[in-house]
Amino acid sequence: MMIHNPRPLVLASGSAIRLQLLRAAGVSVVPVSPRVDEDAIRASLQQDSAFPRTIADTLAEMKARKVAAQHPEGLVLGCDQVLDFDGVVWTKPQTPDEARTQLLALRDRQHTLLSALVLYDGSQPIWRHIGKATLTMRPFSDGWLDSYIDRNWDSIRHCVGGYLLEAEGIRLFSAIDGDYFTVVGLPLLPLLGYLGQRGFIQT
């Protein structure tokens, strides 16, 4: 059954999986891609030695603020996810070779995914959350890695770390400590809990 929101949720993200998850949960949602220079913001924060969680939170807020300015009566959700590997934030690979380099560095090691949400009502932030998941990659072979990248480059180039967990990328891992929704970039349970508590969705 579809949940009827007093107002649709405006999703300040171009992510298909985030949109799919919200709609599957019965939330009325309108996607609007935010136009922010993520690379410039991230680089500036890194120059200031910002922590990875601060980078994720700031990027999520910048997206929400940008879209909220265009939709002042809207309930706007900004999202961002960063990969924290030994305190260093990684970005999406630009080439297959860069994806290979990233995945080789992560092989048989742990890294953290931080998924930040910031909710704006009108022009003000009213709620924020950062989900955390710790992932351990298995000691896969060079040959399998090369074939994995060849088969999946068109999809994994859109993902930090060079993997898509909801597809063949799951085979890269030996252990995951954290919930699935945080790993794919939308900590859904705390979000739905807050929306319900505030009466933004029917409970």
Side-chain angles (χ1 to χ4, degrees):
M1 178 182 294
M2 175 66 76
I3 296 170
H4 297 286
N5 292 11
R7 292 173 291 168
L9 181 68
V10 180
L11 177 62
S13 171
S15 165
I17 185 66
R18 290 185 179 119
L19 180 62
Q20 176 187 340
L21 288 171
L22 286 166
R23 286 180 171 167
V27 176
S28 176
V29 57
V30 177
V32 177
S33 293
R35 296 183 177 180
V36 298
D37 191 340
E38 293 185 51
D39 291 338
I41 296 168
R42 186 183 296 107
S44 176
L45 290 167
Q46 287 177 310
Q47 282 186 340
D48 292 337
S49 301
F51 292 113
R53 63 183 296 111
T54 301
I55 294 174
D57 180 72
T58 300
L59 285 168
E61 175 148 11
M62 294 294 289
K63 294 172 187 178
R65 183 188 305 168
K66 181 79 171 184
V67 173
Q70 302 162 355
H71 300 268
E73 302 305 317
L75 185 65
V76 179
L77 179 67
C79 314
D80 194 76
Q81 184 182 66
V82 302
L83 189 157
D84 174 6
F85 183 53
D86 290 341
V88 178
V89 169
W90 284 14
T91 57
K92 299 169 186 176
Q94 299 300 307
T95 66
D97 283 344
E98 188 173 334
R100 188 177 193 274
T101 298
Q102 288 187 357
L103 290 168
L104 284 173
L106 295 173
R107 181 169 60 183
D108 208 20
R109 300 279 305 277
Q110 283 189 344
H111 66 274
T112 300
L113 289 177
L114 299 166
S115 294
L117 304 179
V118 176
L119 192 66
Y120 265 61
D121 187 3
S123 60
Q124 297 296 323
I126 60 169
W127 180 81
R128 62 205 322 125
H129 175 81
I130 299 178
K132 177 182 176 180
T134 302
L135 298 85
T136 305
M137 282 198 177
R138 67 180 181 87
F140 46 79
S141 67
D142 290 0
W144 183 85
L145 175 61
D146 290 340
S147 65
Y148 166 76
I149 294 172
D150 288 343
R151 285 191 301 273
N152 295 283
W153 170 245
D154 284 343
S155 57
I156 64 175
R157 65 191 179 90
H158 302 294
C159 309
V160 293
Y163 58 83
L164 195 64
L165 195 81
E166 57 269 32
E168 190 182 353
I170 189 64
R171 292 177 58 187
L172 291 161
F173 296 93
S174 59
I176 296 174
D177 182 11
D179 71 85
Y180 170 78
F181 301 110
T182 294
V183 172
V184 298
L186 184 73
L188 193 56
L189 297 180
L191 173 64
L192 293 175
Y194 180 79
L195 294 176
Q197 177 186 5
R198 288 292 307 274
F200 293 128
I201 59 175
Q202 192 175 35
T203 59

